[in-house]
Amino acid sequence: MSEIFLIKRKIIAILIFGWLAFFPSIAFAAVDTSGKLPALNPICWRRDQCDEFVSKNFGVSKSTWAGNEDPCIGADWGKCLPAGSTATSISLGGKSNFAHIGVYILTIYKYSVSIAAVLAVLMIIFAGVQWITSGGNSEAITKSKKRIGGAVIGLFIAYMSFFILNTINPALVKLRLPQVYLFRPFTMMPEFCSEVEESKEGKVKFMLAAGTDKKNERAEIKINNAVGKSEGYKWSYKESPEMFWCAKRFFAESGGQTSCWGDYCEVVEGGGGRKMCLDWESGFTCLNANVGGTIRNTAIIKDNVIATIVTEEWESPPVERVWLIGYCNKKFTALEAKYSNFFYEKTVELGEWLGDDGYAEEMSDGGILVGKGEIANLPNKQVFYIKISEVAIEQMSEFCQDGGTKGYVLQAWMDEVADSFEEIHYIGRGGVDLGDKARGGDTGFFDRHVYDIDNKYFFTLDEIRGTRQKRAGDGSGNYITEAIGGLRVNFDASNVYDIDRFNPLSGLSGDDLRNKFYSRYLK
């Protein structure tokens, strides 16, 4: 018997060791989940984010989502479980999907108690009728009393058992299995205070945690030693945006110990929008950029040779280059663009912008290269920015004058493990992957469907310029041009689909996965 026990222990030890060796990136660490502001609490998810993350990483078509549970209180906020619901062949009250088997058993119990109550009432009525019609027969009356007493005692036991068990331990009646909730990937956490939900409406107040001193940039900040603790949460982004200068740190009211950064910068000289606050090589600083953002990779499986080969993961860092591409509503072929007199004149003026014959290369899918980005590789992330000349923007607008401009997207060149060629993907609004560019004999999804993709996923010209039209406050009804920050686009490399990946959990090949995933962005 002891030999069998030792063998079992060895098997369990081997399995645990294999798990840790194969999944070294899964770590258990203390994460602050004390905040009551869902946008700043990593345990809180939006339902669509939860479904997409669980589907991609666990092969489950629909996640188990616990909505509106403390501290994730609010519309469409909840907790996310890395498992699907339990489906039953027999439905109860029209419901056949349950969060787990415990909920199913609890549902059966509730229905059983209801049925018991109905039967008890019917039994009491039946016994009462027997009593009334007994005609004084003592034997019949005794049987009626026993039936009534039995029904009352049975009903009492059915209901009191719940209260007794609940008094001993509420878990005995809730039948809630151990719940291991997922933490929201860090890229979904607002890095800047302006990105915290409802902050620009003035519904969230902030307290200064640290100023712009460089030594405070990477320091661990706690509420009890915050710079503005005596003043409390009094700063509103809507009322005093200039307070949120680039490299300042703040605590959000009801946000726990999580801090966010200010991103306010000065206006670009000579017109245009404001500079953009980015965590560049020397720390947070204001850069003269039209587009910029952070690229992370929150893949669950990483930093393991076997795992990366099996999953065909992106390299670290994952992105080789980032470009900004513009599209007209009307498609112009490479030949039309290259040899039209109109465009030839424009490309001569913009020789440094386009490079030698660079434009024709980018016209295979109808897109126009507007700007090339700079990338800084920092610990656990990449930061990029793209500066676009006003001349380039004007030429883009003029070239699309016949059909109008569809919009702009980022073109990210993804570096894949064990592959000598980059996969080119297009990143749209919200950091979503809109599809891939054709490579070799393969036809890219974005190439084939760019004009069918909903325009809401493309960036607008005003966003690129960093300006917006605002009604003048003098009562004249006129509009003035207001300088706002550059267009910030953050995206997660783990959410960029590898086009030749095979998912053994779903049984879908690369083409099937690609078409199924990207079709959501079509009109």
Side-chain angles (χ1 to χ4, degrees), residues 256-506:
Q257 293 285 346
T258 305
S259 63
C260 58
W261 299 91
D263 62 351
Y264 194 79
C265 290
E266 67 269 25
V267 176
V268 177
E269 292 183 8
R274 294 186 178 277
K275 291 185 178 181
M276 178 175 284
C277 181
L278 292 168
D279 188 6
W280 203 240
E281 296 167 341
S282 58
F284 282 93
T285 186
C286 292
L287 296 175
N288 192 359
N290 293 80
V291 184
T294 302
I295 307 166
R296 296 184 190 267
N297 189 356
T298 61
I300 290 180
I301 304 173
K302 62 181 180 180
D303 300 330
N304 181 287
V305 175
I306 298 176
T308 51
I309 291 175
V310 170
T311 61
E312 297 187 81
E313 197 180 40
W314 304 121
E315 280 281 10
S316 182
V319 179
E320 287 283 334
R321 65 187 92 171
V322 180
W323 292 353
L324 184 68
I325 311 295
Y327 288 87
C328 303
N329 280 316
K330 173 184 176 183
K331 183 174 182 177
F332 294 86
T333 66
L335 197 63
E336 289 174 338
K338 189 173 182 180
Y339 294 104
S340 69
N341 291 330
F342 170 79
F343 189 74
Y344 177 76
E345 294 174 0
K346 302 304 177 187
T347 52
V348 169
E349 297 174 15
L350 300 172
E352 294 182 2
W353 166 48
L354 295 172
D356 296 335
D357 207 27
Y359 185 86
E361 175 187 350
E362 287 303 306
M363 284 302 295
S364 62
D365 60 1
I368 303 170
L369 174 61
V370 180
K372 297 182 179 181
E374 299 287 336
I375 298 180
N377 297 322
L378 303 178
N380 302 317
K381 66 179 179 180
Q382 292 178 284
V383 181
F384 75 94
Y385 79 91
I386 303 172
K387 177 68 185 85
I388 305 163
S389 69
E390 189 65 26
V391 177
I393 293 176
E394 289 177 3
Q395 304 309 327
M396 169 72 187
S397 302
E398 289 182 20
F399 185 67
C400 293
Q401 60 183 344
D402 291 338
T405 305
K406 179 177 180 67
Y408 303 80
V409 291
L410 293 178
Q411 189 184 78
W413 297 52
M414 309 297 298
D415 190 5
E416 186 180 9
V417 171
D419 197 334
S420 57
F421 298 96
E422 297 99 341
E423 277 188 22
I424 301 176
H425 287 256
Y426 294 83
I427 309 299
R429 189 182 304 281
V432 299
D433 172 22
L434 297 176
D436 58 303
K437 182 177 175 64
R439 185 181 68 170
D442 185 28
T443 56
F445 184 92
F446 189 88
D447 288 356
R448 288 182 281 118
H449 298 287
V450 56
Y451 295 98
D452 300 319
I453 294 175
D454 197 317
N455 284 11
K456 70 181 182 181
Y457 294 108
F458 287 71
F459 309 119
T460 66
L461 182 59
D462 283 341
E463 289 175 317
I464 299 298
R465 280 183 167 142
T467 59
R468 66 182 175 192
Q469 295 298 307
K470 180 181 178 181
R471 190 179 294 274
D474 55 7
S476 63
N478 297 327
Y479 284 85
I480 58 174
T481 301
E482 181 184 22
I484 58 176
L487 175 63
R488 193 177 301 279
V489 184
N490 302 323
F491 67 94
D492 187 346
S494 66
N495 290 332
V496 177
Y497 266 61
D498 179 1
I499 62 171
D500 54 10
R501 175 184 295 175
F502 175 80
N503 187 341
L505 294 173
S506 64

Side-chain angles (χ1 to χ4, degrees), residues 116-145:
V118 172
L119 291 176
V121 171
L122 292 175
M123 183 59 68
I124 293 170
I125 293 172
F126 176 73
V129 172
Q130 271 191 326
W131 192 339
I132 293 171
T133 59
S134 64
N137 187 322
S138 59
E139 185 179 350
I141 292 173
T142 301
K143 287 182 179 180
S144 299
K145 287 180 179 179

Side-chain angles (χ1 to χ4, degrees), residues 106-119:
L106 187 59
T107 304
I108 292 176
Y109 171 77
K110 289 179 178 178
Y111 274 98
S112 300
V113 170
S114 300
I115 292 171
V118 172
L119 291 176

Side-chain angles (χ1 to χ4, degrees), residues 207-272:
M207 174 173 63
L208 180 62
T212 56
D213 193 330
K214 292 293 181 184
K215 70 180 181 180
N216 290 323
E217 268 197 2
R218 309 297 175 190
E220 184 179 359
I221 302 296
K222 296 291 183 182
I223 290 179
N224 56 14
N225 60 4
V227 175
K229 186 180 178 183
S230 60
E231 298 176 326
Y233 298 95
K234 70 172 213 172
W235 301 105
S236 165
Y237 197 93
K238 179 181 180 180
E239 297 168 359
S240 307
E242 67 282 352
M243 174 64 184
F244 295 81
W245 194 264
C246 180
K248 281 186 177 182
R249 291 173 73 176
F250 297 84
F251 292 115
E253 189 173 18
S254 301
Q257 293 285 346
T258 305
S259 63
C260 58
W261 299 91
D263 62 351
Y264 194 79
C265 290
E266 67 269 25
V267 176
V268 177
E269 292 183 8

Side-chain angles (χ1 to χ4, degrees), residues 37 39 54 57 73 79 98 110 128 130 137 157 167 182 201 203 225-226 263 268 299 309 352 429 488:
L37 194 64
V54 170
N57 290 284
I73 304 299
K79 298 175 184 176
F98 303 88
K110 289 179 178 178
Q130 271 191 326
N137 187 322
I157 292 173
T167 302
L182 289 171
E201 284 75 34
K203 297 181 180 179
N225 60 4
D263 62 351
V268 177
I309 291 175
E352 294 182 2
R429 189 182 304 281
R488 193 177 301 279

